[in-house]
Amino acid sequence: MNVQRIAAIAAIAGAVLGGASVVALGAAAYSAAQPQARAEAVSSSTDDSSESRREQSPPAAPAAAGQGTQLAAASGTDTNAADYNPYLDPLSDQYVTPEARSEWLGKQVVIRECMADAGFDFLEWQWWIGGSPQPTGLDFETSVLWTQALYGPDTNHPGGGCAEEGDQAEAEARAAGTPLGAAETPVDPAAPTEREVWLEFQQLVRDCMADAGHEYLYWEWWNGSQAQPLDLTESERAEWSLALNGNAGGGAAYRWEDAGCWGRAVHESGNDNMH
């Protein structure tokens, strides 16, 4: 599980620093973790009892932890580049096999039907290229209901929602020797990668911080860098953090105007419930 990636995605959604909606968006880290953990489990196993699986090339054996990036780099790939996607690189230890992607999308079909029965849209979600299944532009109350339909009434302890129904269907299909499956939507080669989306978001934050009189360093979460300058005094760090995070309330009391430069960037990129 890539904790840095989860934190970065959740932060863009407003769940970490912006706090746009604790209930509606607070599950972002959980939903971001789910597909990756699930895909890793699928990638490491095959089911020879499935006729369709026999007709496909077997998944490549995963590289030992940490070696995939070295292999990809040795092939001449710049694994630190913003346009690099480790989930689609067979030499990366984060690679998600076609079989794993197909099963994930098959489970999404089950979840989408369940959400439709509950009266909600559930967007196509190929997590390995980014995105989110939640429609944008929902008001606060609707986003709460959407999240509860997906994860159950207590989003801090998911269970009982459409996501669980998808998990059950996935487990039953595996037990029957016929894993779920669905076709992928072709990826637009010109579409920005998850990293490039992050950098666009970061530029919104950086511009706002500059207008507020603060330096905000170039930050690539996948390289372990940070945005706050290292030479600030304690009082300067406090001022910097206030400019970045603001002092907004949570839940229905949240106002992006009070959430600092991060909240402004979340709003301007369309990732809060204030549209």
Side-chain angles (χ1 to χ4, degrees), residues 24-68:
L25 297 177
Y30 172 80
S31 62
Q34 282 296 96
Q36 188 163 345
R38 182 68 60 192
E40 288 170 353
V42 174
S43 299
S44 62
S45 63
T46 57
D47 184 355
D48 292 335
S49 64
S50 170
E51 194 63 34
S52 61
R53 286 295 180 93
R54 291 197 191 102
E55 297 173 357
Q56 299 172 347
S57 300
Q67 291 184 2

Side-chain angles (χ1 to χ4, degrees), residues 1-3 5-6 31-41 87 94 96 104 127:
M1 183 184 300
N2 190 324
V3 177
R5 172 185 178 269
I6 294 169
S31 62
Q34 282 296 96
Q36 188 163 345
R38 182 68 60 192
E40 288 170 353
Y87 312 117
Q94 298 181 64
V96 185
W104 165 258
W127 70 265

Side-chain angles (χ1 to χ4, degrees), residues 6-192:
I6 294 169
I9 295 171
I12 290 179
V16 173
L17 298 176
S21 167
V22 173
V23 177
L25 297 177
Y30 172 80
S31 62
Q34 282 296 96
Q36 188 163 345
R38 182 68 60 192
E40 288 170 353
V42 174
S43 299
S44 62
S45 63
T46 57
D47 184 355
D48 292 335
S49 64
S50 170
E51 194 63 34
S52 61
R53 286 295 180 93
R54 291 197 191 102
E55 297 173 357
Q56 299 172 347
S57 300
Q67 291 184 2
T69 299
Q70 297 173 14
L71 288 170
S75 71
T77 301
D78 183 359
T79 58
N80 289 324
D83 61 357
Y84 173 67
N85 187 337
Y87 312 117
L88 298 179
D89 181 0
L91 293 179
S92 170
D93 50 13
Q94 298 181 64
Y95 177 59
V96 185
T97 67
E99 292 83 1
R101 299 198 296 266
S102 175
E103 185 175 33
W104 165 258
L105 292 172
K107 182 169 70 170
Q108 296 295 289
V109 171
V110 175
I111 295 174
R112 187 171 299 109
E113 292 174 352
C114 175
M115 291 291 284
D117 290 341
F120 298 101
D121 289 334
F122 186 86
L123 305 181
E124 182 175 331
W125 185 21
Q126 298 183 165
W127 70 265
W128 45 91
I129 58 173
S132 167
Q134 186 182 68
T136 59
L138 302 182
D139 59 31
F140 175 76
E141 291 78 11
T142 304
S143 65
V144 170
L145 295 174
W146 186 96
T147 305
Q148 290 177 331
L150 180 60
Y151 293 116
D154 184 355
T155 55
N156 291 321
H157 300 88
C162 290
E164 184 173 283
E165 186 169 317
D167 288 339
Q168 291 173 346
E170 178 184 54
E172 291 171 0
R174 286 183 180 179
T178 55
L180 299 175
E184 293 184 56
T185 298
V187 179
D188 180 0

